[in-house]
């Protein structure tokens, strides 16, 4: 069974930094592209970032480009999101998501970790 | 404001069918067949229902079906059941290697 478990969410002041982690199990992590998707309170889903299976290729939403960095450690079956210069609009549940490999679909999601940016 | 437009809410009675629309533009739904749908129960992980416009992953009920016409994708749920009450999100690949979602549609089973 595929499992994605996020951690690292917290209450943080504007301008602060936070690192989210996601531990994957139940599939060959090193074979799959992985993403982060977030959902602000009362809002829809927003794609945040994507990393290829080998870590060579990354993509970012314009709203986080230059502030967030995605990374992975295939030896640890782990995905990370380093978030710097946090803003109130970054407040959201952050989901670790596995790419399905067929049609850019997201076929497995974690339960999310909450990041609250507030003074 | 979300890139894709969905109705905020829909409702139906058990056994009925409902359809949720997802309106995009010529940068996403209008030019790609990479449309997917997700079911999200509160406090749980979102679940993939449909990918590639109309394909169902293994284990997803055939009561769920997807379609697309022009810039509008749609999800139809037939034979509504109480457990279908959830929020449904559409998503699409978009130009410049980005992914977009709708604002989500809350389904109430009356």
């Amino acid at each position: 069974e595929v499992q994605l478990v996020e951690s690292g969410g917290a209450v943080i002041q504007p301008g602060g930094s936070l690192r989210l982690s996601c531990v994957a199990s139940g599939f060959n992590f090193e074979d799959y592209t992985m993403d982060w998707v977030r959902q602000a309170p009362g809002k829809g889903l927003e794609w945040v970032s994507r990393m290829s299976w080998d870590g060579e290729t990354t993509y970012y939403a314009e709203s986080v480009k230059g502030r967030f960095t995605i990374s992975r450690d295939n030896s640890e079956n782990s995905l990370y999101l380093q978030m710097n210069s946090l803003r109130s609009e970054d407040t959201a549940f952050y989901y670790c998501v596995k790419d399905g490999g067929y049609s850019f679909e997201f076929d497995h999601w974690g339960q999310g970790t909450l990041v609250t940016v507030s003074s | 404001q979300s890139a894709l437009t969905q109705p905020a809410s829909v409702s139906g009675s058990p056994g009925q069918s409902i359809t949720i629309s997802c309106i995009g533009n010529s940068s996403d739904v209008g030019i790609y067949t990479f449309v997917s749908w997700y079911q999200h129960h509160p406090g749980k992980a979102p679940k993939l229902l449909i990918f590639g416009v109309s394909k169902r992953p293994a284990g997803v009920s055939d009561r769920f079906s997807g379609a697309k016409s022009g810039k509008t994708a749609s999800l139809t749920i037939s034979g509504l059941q109480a457990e279908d009450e959830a929020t449904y999100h559409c998503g699409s690949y978009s130009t410049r290697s980005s992914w977009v979602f709708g604002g989500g549609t809350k389904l109430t089973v009356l």
Side-chain angles (χ1 to χ4, degrees):
Chain A
E1 178 195 2
V2 172
Q3 286 203 330
L4 299 167
V5 181
E6 305 94 337
S7 62
V11 178
I12 188 87
Q13 290 191 337
S17 297
L18 205 58
R19 189 195 198 204
L20 304 184
S21 300
C22 168
V23 177
S25 61
F27 64 103
N28 291 332
F29 179 76
E30 62 188 11
D31 290 339
Y32 287 91
T33 291
M34 297 292 295
D35 296 74
W36 288 98
V37 174
R38 69 185 180 183
Q39 184 174 28
K43 304 285 188 182
L45 298 171
E46 180 188 14
W47 171 77
V48 173
S49 183
R50 182 175 184 95
M51 174 165 268
S52 60
W53 62 274
D54 59 358
E56 291 291 311
T57 306
T58 58
Y59 304 96
Y60 296 94
E62 286 299 322
S63 58
V64 307
K65 199 173 289 185
R67 300 187 300 123
F68 290 11
T69 303
I70 191 172
S71 62
R72 65 192 295 162
D73 183 342
N74 286 345
S75 68
E76 297 287 334
N77 287 349
S78 293
L79 181 73
Y80 306 101
L81 186 67
Q82 177 67 41
M83 304 186 295
N84 298 331
S85 302
L86 282 162
R87 307 166 180 167
S88 57
E89 54 264 38
D90 295 318
T91 294
F93 275 97
Y94 284 74
Y95 296 98
C96 172
V97 186
K98 173 184 168 291
D99 180 77
Y102 291 99
S103 300
F104 293 121
E105 74 282 6
F106 304 115
D107 71 345
H108 287 90
W109 300 60
Q111 291 204 309
T113 187
L114 179 61
V115 174
T116 302
V117 183
S118 174
S119 54
Chain B
Q1 191 151 349
S2 299
L4 306 179
T5 301
Q6 297 179 237
S9 63
V10 297
S11 63
S13 300
Q16 287 186 330
S17 294
I18 62 97
T19 297
I20 300 171
S21 61
C22 171
I23 304 171
N25 57 43
S26 55
S27 298
D28 39 65
V29 177
I31 58 170
Y32 294 113
T33 57
F34 304 133
V35 177
S36 50
W37 289 88
Y38 305 88
Q39 178 190 59
H40 193 188
H41 287 105
K44 290 196 163 186
K47 175 186 175 183
L48 176 67
L49 292 177
I50 297 288
F51 68 97
V53 175
S54 59
K55 300 178 180 62
R56 277 187 308 275
V60 172
S61 171
D62 60 3
R63 296 188 300 106
F64 297 93
S65 62
K68 189 189 86 153
S69 177
K71 300 174 186 175
T72 301
S74 59
L75 172 72
T76 296
I77 309 174
S78 59
L80 268 179
Q81 300 178 0
E83 69 223 42
D84 298 332
E85 187 160 295
T87 298
Y88 293 83
H89 302 269
C90 63
S92 175
Y93 177 72
S94 182
T95 52
R96 299 181 207 163
S97 298
S98 65
W99 286 259
V100 291
F101 291 96
T105 298
K106 182 173 171 55
L107 168 63
T108 300
V109 180
L110 302 170

